[in-house]
Amino acid sequence: MGYSRRAAYIHKAMKPEALLCPRPGGLYCPPGDFYIDPTRPVERAVITHGHADHARSGHGAVAATPETLAIMAARYGEDFCAARQPLAYGESVGRDGVGIRLVPAGHVLGSAQVVLTWKGMTIVVSGDYKRRRDPTCPAFEPVPCDVFVSEATFGLPVFRHPDDKGEIAALLKSVAQFPERCHLVGAYALGKAQRIIRLLREAGWDRTIYVHGALERLNRLYEEHGVDLGPLAPATVEGGRGVAKAFEGQIIICPPGAMADRWARRFPDPVTAFASGWMRVRARARQRGVELPLILSDHADWDELTTTFAELKPGELWITHGREEALLRWAELNGQPARALALVGYDEEEDD
């Protein structure tokens, strides 16, 4: 019997809901009187990462990694909360007898799992996570626990993300095949854009990468936290015949919404690419008019999810915001106690 199974047996008289339970505002810790990633303003919050569906402004006190706090300040302004409590990875603090520790989640810069301990019980809230290597943030750290709260964004067997290097190689192959055209890559502003830039650098692309203005602030923040993005420049030039020549053979990265905006029409005949786990679904690529789908996600795919569950073997598995049904069936077939949490307010496509 593994650690978590023994712990679950020892604590069978104490329900996990005594330590953590779903409320309309999100996951709430009654003995510590705080929320994790609340969907509405609260007095005390622990934030797993900086994406907008998990990190909102208006809270009283916010505990998070220094990187996540910096991201929130960059997005919402310095007064996004009344008080900040930075917690480095591995640092432990206590509130009314509840231990709180943050460990890497491997999702984006500063992303963390929240490890709660109380009266011998351990609950881990993963936030969003992935298991594959990401050159912009520390890798996911598995923590033995009685309850593991997992996302399920790509919780269907069809979602098996290919190797990152292969997707970047496909992008560079297309650039070589169409040297007279620019490549316009849609990527979410926090995490995905910077990861693509670093993967391009690792693949040997040392030329200037052009970026939409909406990415510049977060790019600077990543560099301030030690992520070297190499030479970048704004994707802006004066109009006229020189536009096509200026961007021939270049890679331009922009938020997904900008691809359909008038901003994108300044680039004559671009190859449109979109980096997302949802590009596995070809119908979505066609709907967006994407010429070059790149299957790159900052979320765990089916194999990463189930491998994590099998590795941790928690006493209970709680599944939230995503496709729970298939994972619940997997848990049943593998003898893993599991339940779905009815949490609302988390956008599965905010940061895919």
Side-chain angles (χ1 to χ4, degrees):
M1 186 182 297
Y3 159 86
S4 53
R5 296 295 192 192
R6 284 199 305 271
Y9 175 78
I10 293 169
H11 297 294
K12 64 182 180 180
M14 182 170 64
K15 293 184 177 180
E17 290 83 353
L19 175 56
L20 191 70
C21 61
R23 292 270 183 92
L27 286 172
Y28 177 66
C29 175
D33 189 25
F34 60 84
Y35 283 82
I36 297 175
D37 292 350
T39 58
R40 61 184 66 169
V42 299
E43 284 300 312
R44 285 170 290 276
V46 179
I47 304 298
T48 61
H49 66 282
H51 280 133
D53 59 333
H54 290 256
R56 293 168 166 86
S57 62
H59 303 309
V62 170
T65 63
E67 296 88 347
T68 293
L69 293 173
I71 289 167
M72 294 179 73
R75 287 190 141 185
Y76 301 127
E78 293 294 333
D79 60 348
F80 70 88
C81 69
R84 308 180 200 181
Q85 182 172 11
L87 294 178
Y89 291 130
E91 181 180 355
S92 297
V93 296
R95 175 164 175 83
D96 296 336
V98 177
I100 305 167
R101 181 165 58 97
L102 303 182
V103 300
H107 181 53
V108 296
L109 180 70
S111 61
Q113 305 170 77
V114 181
V115 182
L116 303 179
T117 55
W118 183 63
K119 295 185 176 180
M121 177 179 287
T122 300
I123 295 181
V124 175
V125 180
S126 71
D128 291 337
Y129 67 101
K130 64 179 179 292
R131 299 301 303 268
R132 63 189 61 207
R133 174 185 172 273
D134 184 331
T136 69
C137 65
F140 176 96
E141 181 180 313
V143 177
C145 53
D146 302 300
V147 177
F148 183 63
V149 184
S150 175
E151 62 141 316
T153 303
F154 291 109
L156 289 173
V158 69
F159 291 115
R160 287 182 162 94
H161 305 325
D163 180 68
D164 298 349
K165 292 181 181 179
E167 297 302 284
I168 295 299
L171 172 58
L172 293 178
K173 180 180 178 181
S174 183
V175 172
Q177 286 177 328
F178 302 102
E180 74 286 358
R181 302 170 69 185
C182 70
H183 280 63
L184 191 61
V185 182
Y188 286 95
L190 172 57
K192 185 71 63 63
Q194 296 79 23
R195 180 177 165 210
I196 289 173
I197 292 170
R198 277 303 312 156
L199 289 171
L200 283 166
R201 300 307 186 198
E202 291 182 350
W205 186 266
D206 57 4
R207 293 160 57 181
T208 297
I209 295 174
Y210 293 87
V211 297
H212 186 281
L215 306 182
E216 292 179 7
R217 182 171 51 183
L218 287 171
N219 287 345
R220 284 197 302 271
L221 189 149
Y222 265 67
E223 295 216 311
E224 289 167 1
H225 285 85
V227 180
D228 181 10
L229 300 178
L232 305 176
T236 54
V237 295
E238 296 298 325
R241 296 180 181 274
V243 175
K245 199 71 177 174
F247 289 102
E248 279 186 0
Q250 304 298 335
I251 296 174
I252 304 166
I253 300 180
C254 66
M259 297 177 70
D261 189 73
R262 61 181 297 179
W263 174 88
R265 294 199 289 271
R266 72 182 66 188
F267 308 109
D269 193 28
V271 176
T272 56
F274 185 35
S276 168
W278 298 109
M279 291 297 97
R280 171 66 72 186
V281 182
R282 295 303 178 183
R284 294 208 180 197
R286 290 193 297 270
Q287 289 167 3
R288 287 181 173 266
V290 173
E291 188 173 347
L292 179 63
L294 301 173
I295 306 172
L296 286 165
S297 177
D298 285 326
H299 292 266
D301 67 5
W302 173 265
D303 290 331
E304 292 172 75
L305 291 167
T306 55
T307 297
T308 300
F309 304 158
E311 177 183 2
L312 293 177
K313 294 183 173 63
E316 289 185 33
L317 172 64
W318 294 358
I319 305 171
T320 183
H321 61 282
R323 284 149 178 76
E324 300 99 341
E325 294 81 3
L327 289 172
L328 289 173
R329 178 59 176 161
W330 178 92
E332 180 183 4
L333 293 174
N334 286 272
Q336 170 64 63
R339 56 177 283 203
L341 297 184
L343 295 180
V344 297
Y346 301 97
D347 184 356
E348 66 184 23
E349 296 197 45
E350 160 69 15
D351 52 359
D352 61 358

